[in-house]
Amino acid sequence: MELPGTLRINERGQLELGGIEVTALAAVFGTPLYLYDEALIRDNCRKFCQAFRVKEGWSQVLYAGKAFLTTAMCRIVHSEGLGLDVVSGGEIYTAIEAGFPASKIYFHGNNKTYEEICLALEAGVGHFVVDNFMELETLSRLSAERGKKTPVLLRITPGIEAHTHRYIQTGQEGSKFGFPLAQALAAARRAKELPGIEYRGLHCHLGSQIMEINPYQQTLSLLMDLARAIKGNTGLVTQQLNLGGGFGIRYTPEDRPPSPALWGETLLACLEEESRKNKLPRPLLLVEPGRAIIGPAGHTAYRVGTIKEVPGGRKYVAVDGGMADNIRPALYQAKYMAVLANKAALPPSEEVTIVGKCCETGDVLIENIALPPVEPGDILVVLNTGAYSYSMASNYNRLPRPAGVLVNQGRAFLILKREDYKDLLRQDLIPPHLALK
Ligand code: LLP
């Protein structure tokens, strides 16, 4: 199996990340433990920036914070020159507290609240990606009240379907996101009329974990047609074209995503061609990878507990986490690979099913995986869990959320403290009539 980034099996037959044995990390920081490979995060950022020719002024790469956002992560993506895509007041707050420049933030969302819009305007968030007419009106009013003209992109539902799980498709017609294509011209006209709004361009997002470039090319071409229509109709120039995120990664050997280089080369060629065809100046291309930056750069280490065989021959290996720290298998039937960190060089000898400790039959992390002989106390590492694990984690069953460590060149830094039982009670209150007598 191919190991991403700095993961490798060392001469002692042990799995290591960033030059440190994972069993040592588990001993120091406990389990379950989110592990983040700083070198690979940076490498992924660089690959996207290179592929999309950011330095040459063709594009801007925005990291989609929903995949995994902490203050340390904000620092890393900022130092690599990326902008940031955020979708909530909480993400804006995280970025600002981390010192991320507000001007490089794009604020998305289909239901930005009044408070969130105010927070973003006050913080000086650079662009709003406007989802609907109501938002356009509210944003105009709140910007104008502050004497501002806010740069906006209009989010369009292109009506193009990409093959991925139904729950993570967003570009199809009838989606809850964006202006339907048929209303796009009206939206641009309204954006032109409104005082607090400055039209900058168009946005769309097809879905996530997408493996084919073709839907993106179709979308690009459709949005350039729209840009031409907008120019003809309103005189507004589309300076930015944002194709969203969704670039797939390799969770299992069957997944064969295009490389960042191929995405970049193909889409920039398409952009050039479409600009020429439509006789429009070439807009700045924006892309918003989340998963492709952080997914393969994160892994989760668990300790094996109960092992049992049930009639029918299935062998369950239970670990000390599960759907509370990674909901993706339960929610999307997502598939993962795993390695026993302390037996990484041993050949597989048995098929087991990895389950979590939550009170839910669906709490299965990996169904049928071949592993070396598993024993209680082994450290099992589920690979490529960097995206949408911590960011979707919960305290289901009152499980404290795991710690996260950033590993690089033989050093490990805690970037997420492990929650403890006290943290679980932090928000609890007892009304007077329930006071102990
Ligand atoms: N831009 C927009 C507007 C988005 O809605 C998303 C993801 C992204 C960028 C980043 O997409 P990525 O490059 O990470 O695929 N929880 C699901 C994924 C939901 C994605 C939602 N939007 C999962 O765990 O698969």
Side-chain angles (χ1 to χ4, degrees):
M1 189 195 344
E2 202 183 301
L3 296 174
T6 69
L7 262 188
R8 68 175 201 108
I9 299 168
N10 67 18
E11 29 326 304
R12 293 176 2 100
Q14 302 280 314
L15 187 70
E16 55 171 61
L17 182 73
I20 309 180
E21 289 187 358
V22 174
T23 48
L25 292 166
V28 173
F29 297 101
T31 53
L33 183 64
Y34 294 122
L35 304 165
Y36 298 98
D37 182 347
E38 184 173 353
L40 184 56
I41 301 173
R42 291 185 181 279
D43 194 46
N44 289 340
C45 290
R46 285 171 203 172
K47 285 205 170 103
F48 269 94
C49 289
Q50 256 167 28
F52 282 90
R53 300 203 203 160
V54 169
K55 277 215 183 94
E56 295 91 317
W58 283 67
S59 315
Q60 176 61 282
V61 178
L62 313 175
Y63 170 64
K66 71 207 81 186
F68 172 70
L69 201 72
T70 72
T71 46
M73 186 63 187
C74 288
R75 293 277 168 92
I76 298 175
V77 295
H78 175 45
S79 70
E80 292 299 334
L82 278 69
L84 191 64
D85 145 1
V86 302
V87 290
S88 70
E91 289 187 354
I92 294 174
Y93 182 77
T94 304
I96 300 296
E97 286 292 302
F100 200 93
S103 61
K104 293 183 79 176
I105 298 179
Y106 283 70
F107 186 20
H108 294 66
N110 67 313
N111 183 23
K112 303 178 183 77
T113 65
Y114 174 83
E115 290 78 14
E116 286 175 324
I117 297 178
C118 293
L119 172 70
L121 288 174
E122 242 103 84
V125 161
H127 289 77
F128 275 62
V129 180
V130 174
D131 179 271
N132 56 69
F133 285 104
M134 263 178 69
E135 182 188 337
L136 206 51
E137 302 291 326
T138 313
L139 179 61
S140 167
R141 182 165 53 80
L142 295 177
S143 311
E145 275 171 22
R146 288 165 175 77
K148 289 188 183 187
K149 238 175 153 31
T150 299
V152 305
L153 305 186
L154 301 176
R155 176 163 181 165
I156 309 298
T157 321
I160 289 172
E161 291 192 19
H163 294 124
T164 186
H165 193 281
R166 186 165 66 82
Y167 288 7
I168 52 178
Q169 271 187 3
T170 37
Q172 75 280 21
E173 224 166 307
S175 154
K176 75 164 183 173
F177 297 104
F179 294 94
L181 197 53
Q183 297 170 12
L185 267 183
R189 257 183 254 122
R190 194 67 190 130
K192 188 180 178 188
E193 285 163 11
L194 286 170
I197 301 289
E198 189 172 307
Y199 173 84
R200 285 284 170 82
L202 301 170
H203 171 274
C204 74
H205 173 76
L206 295 177
S208 201
Q209 184 59 2
I210 297 172
M211 298 289 175
E212 326 147 85
I213 305 188
N214 190 264
Y216 287 83
Q217 292 169 291
Q218 284 176 38
T219 304
L220 205 160
S221 148
L222 185 144
L223 290 183
M224 286 303 283
D225 287 348
L226 178 59
R228 177 166 39 84
I230 289 176
K231 175 121 187 291
N233 226 269
T234 65
L236 290 171
V237 176
T238 299
Q239 298 167 27
Q240 299 182 26
L241 202 72
N242 186 331
L243 289 180
F247 312 108
I249 64 165
R250 192 161 206 196
Y251 285 105
T252 67
E254 291 78 56
D255 294 331
R256 304 215 161 259
S259 63
L262 190 58
W263 285 113
E265 194 185 317
T266 313
L267 293 179
L268 289 181
C270 181
L271 182 73
E272 177 117 289
E273 166 73 16
E274 290 296 326
S275 306
R276 202 178 41 74
K277 238 172 55 193
N278 287 289
K279 300 196 172 54
L280 290 172
R282 192 183 73 224
L284 183 76
L285 188 71
L286 289 105
V287 284
E288 304 173 330
R291 188 191 314 269
I293 301 282
I294 191 65
H299 314 286
T300 314
Y302 302 95
R303 190 171 294 276
V304 171
T306 302
I307 299 175
K308 71 167 79 152
E309 261 176 85
V310 296
R314 195 190 275 258
K315 188 165 181 177
Y316 284 115
V317 171
V319 295
D320 55 356
M323 65 187 287
D325 59 76
N326 184 359
I327 189 77
R328 300 194 67 259
L331 194 56
Y332 317 116
Q333 297 81 48
K335 303 274 176 286
Y336 287 93
M337 307 296 287
V339 179
L340 283 180
N342 52 318
K343 298 175 180 167
L346 298 185
S349 61
E350 56 179 352
E351 271 230 335
V352 299
T353 289
I354 312 290
V355 296
K357 63 186 266 100
C358 287
C359 298
E360 189 104 28
T361 304
D363 184 19
V364 175
L365 283 175
I366 305 177
E367 220 168 314
N368 299 332
I369 177 171
L371 289 178
V374 193
E375 292 159 293
D378 285 344
I379 299 294
L380 181 95
V381 179
V382 178
L383 305 178
N384 302 303
T385 58
Y388 305 105
S389 293
Y390 170 70
S391 67
M392 296 179 84
S394 76
N395 291 118
Y396 184 48
N397 291 168
R398 289 240 144 178
L399 296 182
R401 272 174 295 189
V405 285
L406 185 69
V407 185
N408 198 6
Q409 297 185 340
R411 303 210 290 167
F413 303 91
L414 195 61
I415 59 167
L416 277 169
K417 280 198 279 187
R418 182 176 303 282
E419 286 180 345
D420 60 20
Y421 292 151
K422 280 212 183 96
D423 292 321
L424 297 175
L425 296 194
R426 205 174 47 211
Q427 308 299 96
D428 288 19
L429 297 169
I430 295 181
H433 71 283
L434 297 180
L436 289 179
K437 303 252 170 7

